[in-house]
Amino acid sequence: MKNKIVSFITIVVCFLLQCTVMDRISIGSITPNLPLILCVSMGLMRGRKAGLWTGFFSGLFIDLFYGSLFGFYALIYMYIGFISGYAFRSFYDDDLKVPLFLVAGTDLLYNLAVYGLQFLLRGRLGFWTYMYRIIIPEIVYTVFLTIIVYRAFYWINYHLMDTVRKESESIWELK
């Protein structure tokens, strides 16, 4: 229960920071994607299920307050959290290279999905313009913010949430 409460508070705080502080530090209308960093971090540190639910609720907040199509961002963030959860047992949480690569890759997938389903279907075909004016700067800015924010999520995971039972993580246990 403690994990769920801390996770929900973290999602709400990240959403509020995304809506307020991130808009203030935007460079050329490009803002870093803090909910994406949270989804990747929780998926990497807690597993597929935690990444999935973190992504769902992060996207749901974005859909409720900013989305034009309800459930669109919830679905995208849910997949991002689930995909990043595959690295749960393979990599160490305190290593910073894996979250950086996961954030860069999932941010690229996120932006391609937004372009394909929000712009391309409306007939806006300027893909390369969208790529070098929005996608690449957002990836760079989000990866830079990951260097700063990932340590805070790491601290929250290991000091405020209950530790995951090591027996259930064992690769030797058949499920």
Side-chain angles (χ1 to χ4, degrees):
M1 187 67 176
K2 179 181 171 185
N3 290 347
K4 293 176 184 170
I5 293 170
V6 171
S7 181
F8 184 74
I9 290 171
T10 307
I11 291 169
V12 170
V13 168
C14 283
F15 175 73
L16 292 175
L17 286 174
Q18 180 72 28
C19 296
T20 57
V21 176
M22 296 302 156
D23 286 337
R24 299 283 183 214
I25 64 170
S26 66
I27 299 173
S29 74
I30 302 296
T31 59
N33 199 338
L34 191 61
L36 185 127
I37 298 171
L38 177 68
C39 295
V40 169
S41 300
M42 288 301 128
L44 183 64
M45 289 187 265
R46 309 288 295 173
R48 288 183 300 226
K49 195 177 203 182
L52 181 133
W53 286 110
T54 302
F56 175 73
F57 285 113
S58 295
L60 190 64
F61 278 125
I62 293 171
D63 280 333
L64 286 174
F65 290 100
Y66 295 110
S68 58
L69 181 63
F70 189 72
F72 176 73
Y73 290 103
L75 186 67
I76 290 176
Y77 282 110
M78 187 173 69
Y79 281 133
I80 287 170
F82 187 75
I83 289 169
S84 63
Y86 275 105
F88 172 58
R89 292 186 184 150
S90 304
F91 300 102
Y92 295 109
D93 298 341
D94 56 351
D95 186 22
L96 195 58
K97 293 183 295 271
V98 175
L100 291 178
F101 287 121
L102 278 173
V103 165
T106 55
D107 199 8
L108 178 66
L109 292 175
Y110 166 80
N111 281 310
L112 289 176
V114 168
Y115 173 76
L117 297 173
Q118 296 275 341
F119 295 106
L120 188 64
L121 291 179
R122 289 189 205 160
R124 298 182 185 167
L125 301 175
F127 175 73
W128 294 111
T129 305
Y130 189 78
M131 180 68 118
Y132 75 83
R133 287 195 178 169
I134 294 182
I135 293 177
I136 293 174
E138 184 179 325
I139 290 172
V140 171
Y141 204 10
T142 304
V143 166
F144 176 73
L145 187 70
T146 303
I147 296 170
I148 299 167
V149 175
Y150 182 75
R151 295 292 179 196
F153 292 149
Y154 181 79
W155 187 86
I156 288 170
N157 185 43
Y158 282 101
H159 293 290
L160 298 179
M161 292 183 169
D162 294 333
T163 57
V164 180
R165 290 182 295 277
K166 295 295 179 186
E167 295 83 28
S168 64
E169 295 177 13
S170 175
I171 60 172
W172 302 108
E173 183 178 315
L174 296 175
K175 292 182 180 184

